[in-house]
Structure formats: structure tokens, C-alpha cells
Amino acid sequence: DVKVTQSSRYLVKRTGEKVFLECVQDMDHENMFWYRQDPGLGLRLIYFSYDVKMKEKGDIPEGYSVSREKKERFSLILESASTNQTSMYLCASSYTRYSQPQHFGDGTRLSIL
Amino acid sequence: ELKVEQNPLFLSMQEGKNYTIYCNYSTTSDRLYWYRQDPGKSLESLFVLLSNGAVKQEGRLMASLDTKARLSTLHITAAVHDLSATYFCAVVAGDSNYQLIWGAGTKLIIKP
């Protein structure tokens, strides 16, 4: 089974802090994604990466950055956390091969105080 | 811009009943995914629909795709409590091989 592991299930940080969310997958997937999930808004893509050191902005990249130094690890960075970044963050990975679904981690519920 | 709309967004139903969740999308796409999310849990892939007329079934759930109408349906037959969850559809963005555009989700509650 595919395993996508997010480093924390729950995280509480303060406004202005730099926050790191880590994601590791064990299936040698080329693609990795960071989403945020808010009630009534579905999933919104923040950033994705299709290869090591490669990244593309999604729909809502402002206030976030990412890092992919190794194929299995994709990090999301909140440069200076703000209260409107309080949300559920989901990491996913997939093969590039046609039609393969994305596999998700358990999510990190992040609260910014 | 590709948009994906699901309806209803919330559905409460009795066990044993049938119902359908609808997923409309605004521009051409040839791949559609259905996912399930249990409360506090991650998303689980249910179905991948790849062509017009595609139909997939797993237990009491059946998904279909009409690419001409830009519509997918997720049909629930004789609902049971264990199917209570939030269901999402997602469509591949037109110029991408892997980026998905998501519906807002349908929260389904099935009462015993």
C-alpha cells in the first residue's frame, strides 16, 4: 500500500512564526502536492512538484513556499504565519502515468494564534 | 477556467434508500476521480473514470461519466450507515497531466 506520511496531525503556532510542514511518500511517486482544505471550499492546491527541485504554483501560493530536495519528501513552508492560514493541510503524491489517482496523507490541522 | 460543482453539498438520508450525487464541470476533461473522506481522516480514492460512458461499481456505489454533458454521477444503492462520509469529485485540469480541480464535496449522512 502507498504510504504518505505527514509529520504532524495537529500543530499550534503563533502569528509571525515560520512554520514547516513535512510530507514523505514511500512509493517513488514523481508528483507531490500540497492542498489546504477549508469547509465548503473543497481542496485548493497550494503548490505541486513534478520532480526533485521542481515546483509549480497552484491556485493559492501566496504566503507559502515549498522545498523538494529529495524525491520522497515535499515540505511546505509558511514564511510568516498568519491567522488566515489556520486550516487543514493535506499532502498527496501520484505517478505521472496517465490516470493514476493521488494518494493522500492524514492531514495536518494547523492553528495559528 | 475549469470549475467543478457538486450537488447537493449536504445530504441526509435513511438507510435502504437510493440517491445520486452530481458533479458538473465547466470545460472539456477526459478524466474524473471520486474520493471519499471520513471525518478526521484522509481522502481515499474510489473511482477513476477515463472515457465517455465509463461506469465503475464498488459495492453499493456506482459512478458514471458523460463527457459530452460534462457530468458525472455517484449513485448510492440501498444506503447503509457505513457509507456516511464526504464525497469529492475532481477533474483533471485541461493542460495538465496530473493537476486536479476539486468540487466542494458532498457531506452524506445516512441514518439508521
Side-chain angles (χ1 to χ4, degrees):
Chain A
D1 271 358
V2 175
K3 186 71 174 175
V4 180
T5 303
Q6 294 184 230
S7 53
S8 305
R9 289 299 308 274
Y10 301 94
L11 206 53
V12 180
K13 297 291 183 180
R14 296 207 173 273
T15 303
E17 280 192 71
K18 192 168 186 176
V19 181
F20 294 86
L21 303 183
E22 306 285 344
C23 176
V24 177
Q25 49 95 3
D26 66 356
M27 281 302 293
D28 203 35
H29 285 165
E30 299 92 346
N31 308 314
M32 296 189 75
F33 306 83
W34 275 107
Y35 294 93
R36 66 178 280 176
Q37 183 178 23
D38 300 289
L41 296 178
L43 275 71
R44 292 181 292 168
L45 182 64
I46 304 171
Y47 269 97
F48 66 99
S49 169
Y50 52 89
D51 201 352
V52 175
K53 297 191 185 294
M54 305 304 290
K55 60 185 179 184
E56 293 281 345
K57 293 180 180 179
D59 299 319
I60 51 165
E62 297 77 18
Y64 304 94
S65 62
V66 290
S67 172
R68 194 168 180 200
E69 296 296 319
K70 294 184 178 181
K71 191 174 186 179
E72 67 270 20
R73 186 180 297 270
F74 193 34
S75 303
L76 179 70
I77 303 151
L78 284 67
E79 297 291 345
S80 177
S82 64
T83 54
N84 63 12
Q85 292 178 309
T86 292
S87 187
M88 170 69 86
Y89 290 87
L90 293 168
C91 175
S93 68
S94 73
Y95 289 117
T96 297
R97 285 199 301 271
Y98 189 80
S99 87
Q100 296 302 308
Q102 294 180 13
H103 298 269
F104 284 81
D106 287 339
T108 297
R109 186 164 293 282
L110 175 64
S111 296
I112 307 296
L113 305 179
Chain B
E1 181 189 351
L2 177 58
K3 292 186 178 180
V4 180
E5 291 187 354
Q6 283 182 241
N7 70 84
L9 297 182
F10 180 80
L11 178 58
S12 178
M13 55 193 291
Q14 296 292 130
E15 277 191 327
K17 299 290 188 182
N18 304 332
Y19 210 82
T20 301
I21 299 170
Y22 297 89
C23 176
N24 289 90
Y25 52 99
S26 58
T27 63
T28 302
S29 180
D30 60 358
R31 270 172 285 162
L32 189 141
Y33 301 80
W34 283 98
Y35 284 81
R36 168 182 173 148
Q37 186 179 36
D38 292 302
K41 299 285 183 69
S42 188
L43 278 81
E44 173 191 358
S45 176
L46 291 175
F47 300 111
V48 180
L49 301 170
L50 299 178
S51 60
N52 188 43
V55 177
K56 295 278 184 75
Q57 183 162 6
E58 178 78 29
R60 300 174 187 273
L61 299 178
M62 184 173 72
S64 65
L65 179 62
D66 181 343
T67 57
K68 294 178 182 177
R70 299 176 188 162
L71 171 69
S72 180
T73 59
L74 180 65
H75 187 73
I76 303 143
T77 302
V80 294
H81 178 67
D82 286 352
L83 291 178
S84 297
T86 299
Y87 293 86
F88 292 91
C89 64
V91 177
V92 172
D95 56 353
S96 168
N97 194 33
Y98 39 76
Q99 186 177 352
L100 298 179
I101 308 299
W102 294 79
T106 296
K107 185 171 184 177
L108 176 63
I109 295 176
I110 299 169
K111 300 176 182 178

